[in-house]
Short mmCIF file of all heavy atoms in Angstrom, two decimals:
data_model
loop_
_atom_site.label_atom_id
_atom_site.label_comp_id
_atom_site.label_asym_id
_atom_site.label_seq_id
_atom_site.Cartn_x
_atom_site.Cartn_y
_atom_site.Cartn_z
N GLY A 15 32.48 54.36 -3.35
CA GLY A 15 31.58 54.59 -2.24
C GLY A 15 30.38 55.50 -2.48
O GLY A 15 30.00 56.35 -1.60
N LEU A 16 29.74 55.34 -3.62
CA LEU A 16 28.60 56.15 -3.93
C LEU A 16 27.35 55.32 -4.27
O LEU A 16 26.40 55.70 -4.88
CB LEU A 16 28.89 57.06 -5.12
CG LEU A 16 29.93 58.15 -4.98
CD1 LEU A 16 30.14 58.88 -6.37
CD2 LEU A 16 29.51 59.15 -3.88
N THR A 17 27.23 54.13 -3.72
CA THR A 17 26.19 53.11 -4.01
C THR A 17 24.84 53.81 -3.46
O THR A 17 23.84 53.77 -4.18
CB THR A 17 26.39 51.81 -3.30
OG1 THR A 17 27.53 51.16 -3.86
CG2 THR A 17 25.17 50.88 -3.42
N SER A 18 24.93 54.45 -2.28
CA SER A 18 23.75 55.04 -1.62
C SER A 18 23.31 56.38 -2.40
O SER A 18 22.26 56.76 -2.20
CB SER A 18 24.04 55.34 -0.17
OG SER A 18 25.05 56.22 0.06
N ALA A 19 24.33 56.97 -3.12
CA ALA A 19 23.93 58.17 -3.92
C ALA A 19 23.79 57.97 -5.42
O ALA A 19 23.80 58.78 -6.20
CB ALA A 19 25.09 59.25 -3.61
N GLY A 20 23.62 56.69 -5.85
CA GLY A 20 23.63 56.36 -7.24
C GLY A 20 22.40 56.96 -7.88
O GLY A 20 22.44 57.23 -9.05
N ASP A 21 21.32 57.09 -7.13
CA ASP A 21 20.02 57.44 -7.67
C ASP A 21 19.87 59.01 -7.45
O ASP A 21 18.65 59.62 -7.78
CB ASP A 21 18.82 56.66 -7.22
CG ASP A 21 18.85 55.31 -7.62
OD1 ASP A 21 19.31 55.01 -8.70
OD2 ASP A 21 18.44 54.41 -6.83
N ARG A 22 20.82 59.66 -6.94
CA ARG A 22 20.69 61.09 -6.64
C ARG A 22 21.28 61.94 -7.90
O ARG A 22 22.33 61.58 -8.37
CB ARG A 22 21.56 61.49 -5.38
CG ARG A 22 21.27 62.83 -4.89
CD ARG A 22 22.22 63.30 -3.81
NE ARG A 22 22.28 62.28 -2.74
CZ ARG A 22 23.14 62.34 -1.65
NH1 ARG A 22 23.96 63.37 -1.61
NH2 ARG A 22 23.13 61.48 -0.81
N ARG A 23 20.68 63.03 -8.18
CA ARG A 23 21.18 63.89 -9.31
C ARG A 23 22.44 64.46 -8.99
O ARG A 23 22.78 64.82 -7.77
CB ARG A 23 20.16 64.97 -9.69
CG ARG A 23 18.92 64.44 -10.22
CD ARG A 23 17.92 65.54 -10.65
NE ARG A 23 16.57 65.14 -10.90
CZ ARG A 23 16.23 64.72 -12.10
NH1 ARG A 23 17.17 64.59 -13.11
NH2 ARG A 23 14.98 64.39 -12.36
N LEU A 24 23.33 64.61 -9.93
CA LEU A 24 24.72 65.24 -9.70
C LEU A 24 24.63 66.63 -9.15
O LEU A 24 25.63 67.13 -8.50
CB LEU A 24 25.61 65.17 -10.92
CG LEU A 24 25.78 63.84 -11.56
CD1 LEU A 24 26.92 63.92 -12.62
CD2 LEU A 24 26.21 62.83 -10.53
N SER A 25 23.53 67.30 -9.32
CA SER A 25 23.43 68.74 -8.85
C SER A 25 23.44 68.72 -7.37
O SER A 25 23.67 69.79 -6.79
CB SER A 25 22.10 69.36 -9.42
OG SER A 25 20.97 68.55 -8.98
N GLY A 26 23.15 67.57 -6.72
CA GLY A 26 23.11 67.52 -5.32
C GLY A 26 24.43 66.92 -4.69
O GLY A 26 24.55 66.61 -3.62
N TYR A 27 25.43 66.64 -5.58
CA TYR A 27 26.68 66.07 -5.20
C TYR A 27 27.71 67.17 -4.71
O TYR A 27 27.74 68.38 -5.26
CB TYR A 27 27.37 65.34 -6.31
CG TYR A 27 26.89 63.92 -6.59
CD1 TYR A 27 25.65 63.58 -6.17
CD2 TYR A 27 27.74 62.97 -7.27
CE1 TYR A 27 25.16 62.19 -6.48
CE2 TYR A 27 27.40 61.74 -7.44
CZ TYR A 27 26.07 61.28 -7.01
OH TYR A 27 25.67 59.99 -7.26
N SER A 28 28.41 66.87 -3.78
CA SER A 28 29.52 67.68 -3.23
C SER A 28 30.66 67.68 -4.17
O SER A 28 30.71 66.75 -5.09
CB SER A 28 30.00 67.21 -1.78
OG SER A 28 30.54 65.98 -1.97
N LYS A 29 31.65 68.45 -3.97
CA LYS A 29 32.85 68.51 -4.83
C LYS A 29 33.58 67.16 -4.77
O LYS A 29 33.98 66.60 -5.80
CB LYS A 29 33.79 69.58 -4.39
CG LYS A 29 35.10 69.63 -5.23
CD LYS A 29 34.96 69.96 -6.67
CE LYS A 29 36.30 70.11 -7.28
NZ LYS A 29 36.25 70.31 -8.71
N GLY A 30 33.70 66.59 -3.67
CA GLY A 30 34.37 65.43 -3.40
C GLY A 30 33.60 64.21 -4.14
O GLY A 30 34.24 63.33 -4.76
N MET A 31 32.30 64.25 -3.99
CA MET A 31 31.51 63.24 -4.72
C MET A 31 31.63 63.26 -6.19
O MET A 31 31.68 62.22 -6.93
CB MET A 31 30.04 63.29 -4.28
CG MET A 31 29.85 62.91 -2.80
SD MET A 31 28.18 63.46 -2.17
CE MET A 31 27.15 62.13 -3.02
N LEU A 32 31.70 64.49 -6.63
CA LEU A 32 31.68 64.73 -8.10
C LEU A 32 33.17 64.23 -8.63
O LEU A 32 33.16 63.61 -9.68
CB LEU A 32 31.66 66.15 -8.52
CG LEU A 32 30.20 66.82 -8.52
CD1 LEU A 32 30.28 68.31 -8.62
CD2 LEU A 32 29.36 66.12 -9.52
N GLN A 33 34.26 64.40 -7.79
CA GLN A 33 35.52 63.91 -8.17
C GLN A 33 35.56 62.45 -8.23
O GLN A 33 36.14 61.76 -9.07
CB GLN A 33 36.58 64.49 -7.29
CG GLN A 33 36.89 65.88 -7.43
CD GLN A 33 37.56 66.17 -8.68
OE1 GLN A 33 36.83 66.70 -9.72
NE2 GLN A 33 38.89 65.98 -8.86
N ARG A 34 34.76 61.74 -7.29
CA ARG A 34 34.69 60.30 -7.21
C ARG A 34 33.88 59.63 -8.43
O ARG A 34 34.33 58.67 -8.94
CB ARG A 34 34.13 59.91 -5.92
CG ARG A 34 35.14 59.99 -4.75
CD ARG A 34 34.64 59.34 -3.50
NE ARG A 34 33.75 60.19 -2.76
CZ ARG A 34 32.79 59.75 -1.86
NH1 ARG A 34 32.66 58.66 -1.68
NH2 ARG A 34 32.18 60.78 -1.37
N ILE A 35 32.81 60.36 -8.67
CA ILE A 35 32.05 59.93 -9.85
C ILE A 35 32.93 60.17 -11.20
O ILE A 35 32.88 59.37 -12.15
CB ILE A 35 30.64 60.65 -10.07
CG1 ILE A 35 29.72 59.70 -10.85
CG2 ILE A 35 30.76 62.06 -10.69
CD1 ILE A 35 29.27 58.47 -10.17
N GLY A 36 33.78 61.21 -11.14
CA GLY A 36 34.56 61.40 -12.27
C GLY A 36 35.63 60.37 -12.43
O GLY A 36 35.98 60.03 -13.53
N LEU A 37 36.18 59.91 -11.31
CA LEU A 37 37.22 58.88 -11.45
C LEU A 37 36.51 57.60 -11.90
O LEU A 37 37.03 56.79 -12.49
CB LEU A 37 37.71 58.78 -9.91
CG LEU A 37 38.93 57.76 -9.83
CD1 LEU A 37 40.15 58.18 -10.74
CD2 LEU A 37 39.40 57.71 -8.28
N ALA A 38 35.22 57.32 -11.31
CA ALA A 38 34.48 56.11 -11.88
C ALA A 38 34.30 56.15 -13.25
O ALA A 38 34.51 55.11 -13.96
CB ALA A 38 33.13 55.95 -11.04
N GLN A 39 33.93 57.26 -13.93
CA GLN A 39 33.73 57.24 -15.35
C GLN A 39 35.07 57.16 -16.15
O GLN A 39 35.05 56.60 -17.26
CB GLN A 39 32.96 58.66 -15.76
CG GLN A 39 33.84 59.94 -15.66
CD GLN A 39 34.83 60.22 -16.72
OE1 GLN A 39 34.67 59.75 -17.78
NE2 GLN A 39 35.92 60.89 -16.39
N ALA A 40 36.14 57.55 -15.48
CA ALA A 40 37.46 57.37 -16.15
C ALA A 40 37.98 55.87 -16.28
O ALA A 40 38.69 55.60 -17.13
CB ALA A 40 38.55 58.20 -15.44
N ILE A 41 37.37 55.02 -15.49
CA ILE A 41 37.77 53.62 -15.56
C ILE A 41 36.56 52.74 -15.93
O ILE A 41 36.72 51.52 -15.79
CB ILE A 41 38.31 53.28 -14.16
CG1 ILE A 41 37.22 53.37 -13.05
CG2 ILE A 41 39.57 53.94 -13.73
CD1 ILE A 41 37.75 52.74 -11.65
N VAL A 42 35.48 53.32 -16.53
CA VAL A 42 34.33 52.57 -16.75
C VAL A 42 34.63 51.43 -17.78
O VAL A 42 34.06 50.41 -17.67
CB VAL A 42 33.21 53.54 -17.37
CG1 VAL A 42 33.51 54.07 -18.63
CG2 VAL A 42 31.85 52.80 -17.46
N GLN A 43 35.51 51.67 -18.70
CA GLN A 43 35.87 50.61 -19.69
C GLN A 43 37.04 49.84 -19.33
O GLN A 43 37.62 49.07 -20.15
CB GLN A 43 36.16 51.37 -21.08
CG GLN A 43 37.59 51.80 -21.37
CD GLN A 43 37.83 53.13 -20.62
OE1 GLN A 43 37.29 53.47 -19.60
NE2 GLN A 43 38.67 53.88 -21.37
N GLU A 44 37.41 49.78 -18.05
CA GLU A 44 38.56 49.00 -17.53
C GLU A 44 39.80 49.28 -18.35
O GLU A 44 40.45 48.38 -18.90
CB GLU A 44 38.22 47.40 -17.54
CG GLU A 44 36.91 47.09 -16.73
CD GLU A 44 36.72 45.65 -16.71
OE1 GLU A 44 37.41 44.96 -16.06
OE2 GLU A 44 35.71 45.30 -17.26
N PRO A 45 40.34 50.45 -18.20
CA PRO A 45 41.56 50.90 -18.99
C PRO A 45 42.77 50.37 -18.32
O PRO A 45 42.80 49.96 -17.20
CB PRO A 45 41.50 52.51 -18.95
CG PRO A 45 40.75 52.76 -17.60
CD PRO A 45 39.83 51.66 -17.38
N LYS A 46 43.89 50.36 -19.14
CA LYS A 46 45.12 49.98 -18.81
C LYS A 46 45.96 51.14 -18.18
O LYS A 46 46.84 51.00 -17.35
CB LYS A 46 46.01 49.30 -19.76
CG LYS A 46 45.35 48.00 -20.36
CD LYS A 46 46.37 47.41 -21.22
CE LYS A 46 46.52 48.14 -22.57
NZ LYS A 46 47.51 47.56 -23.51
N LEU A 47 45.42 52.41 -18.58
CA LEU A 47 46.12 53.61 -18.11
C LEU A 47 45.11 54.62 -17.78
O LEU A 47 44.12 54.83 -18.55
CB LEU A 47 47.05 54.17 -19.23
CG LEU A 47 47.64 55.64 -19.12
CD1 LEU A 47 48.48 55.63 -17.90
CD2 LEU A 47 48.19 56.04 -20.34
N VAL A 48 45.20 55.29 -16.58
CA VAL A 48 44.40 56.33 -16.19
C VAL A 48 45.12 57.70 -16.04
O VAL A 48 46.16 57.61 -15.23
CB VAL A 48 43.60 56.05 -14.85
CG1 VAL A 48 42.79 57.26 -14.42
CG2 VAL A 48 42.75 54.78 -15.06
N VAL A 49 44.70 58.69 -16.70
CA VAL A 49 45.32 59.94 -16.53
C VAL A 49 44.55 60.92 -15.73
O VAL A 49 43.42 61.17 -16.08
CB VAL A 49 45.58 60.60 -18.01
CG1 VAL A 49 46.30 61.91 -17.82
CG2 VAL A 49 46.51 59.58 -18.70
N LEU A 50 45.05 61.53 -14.64
CA LEU A 50 44.26 62.28 -13.77
C LEU A 50 44.97 63.68 -13.61
O LEU A 50 46.09 63.78 -13.25
CB LEU A 50 44.24 61.71 -12.33
CG LEU A 50 43.71 60.25 -12.27
CD1 LEU A 50 43.89 59.66 -10.87
CD2 LEU A 50 42.31 60.07 -12.79
N ASP A 51 44.30 64.76 -13.99
CA ASP A 51 44.80 66.14 -13.84
C ASP A 51 44.19 66.78 -12.62
O ASP A 51 42.99 67.13 -12.45
CB ASP A 51 44.32 66.90 -15.14
CG ASP A 51 45.03 68.30 -15.19
OD1 ASP A 51 45.88 68.49 -14.33
OD2 ASP A 51 44.91 68.96 -16.20
N GLU A 52 45.01 66.96 -11.61
CA GLU A 52 44.62 67.54 -10.28
C GLU A 52 43.37 66.87 -9.68
O GLU A 52 42.33 67.51 -9.48
CB GLU A 52 44.41 69.09 -10.45
CG GLU A 52 45.48 69.83 -10.97
CD GLU A 52 46.65 70.09 -9.94
OE1 GLU A 52 46.56 69.67 -8.69
OE2 GLU A 52 47.74 70.65 -10.35
N PRO A 53 43.44 65.59 -9.42
CA PRO A 53 42.28 64.74 -8.97
C PRO A 53 41.72 65.24 -7.77
O PRO A 53 40.51 64.97 -7.40
CB PRO A 53 42.82 63.43 -8.94
CG PRO A 53 44.28 63.46 -8.72
CD PRO A 53 44.69 64.73 -9.47
#
């Protein structure tokens, strides 16, 4: 849900947006297992 914020710098992201971009980077290579610590 960050298509509209894709060209915005992360310095302007809220905590929730940072967690979502973090989740996106965790699955960028299409993994079989995702490990999340206090997501």
Side-chain angles (χ1 to χ4, degrees):
L16 292 175
T17 299
S18 61
D21 294 328
R22 191 189 310 175
R23 295 184 188 275
L24 298 193
S25 57
Y27 276 28
S28 67
K29 174 65 175 177
M31 294 169 71
L32 286 173
Q33 289 295 96
R34 281 187 280 157
I35 203 70
L37 189 56
Q39 66 79 29
I41 60 174
V42 68
Q43 84 281 32
E44 301 183 70
K46 296 189 294 181
L47 169 67
V48 176
V49 179
L50 309 173
D51 193 358
E52 301 286 357

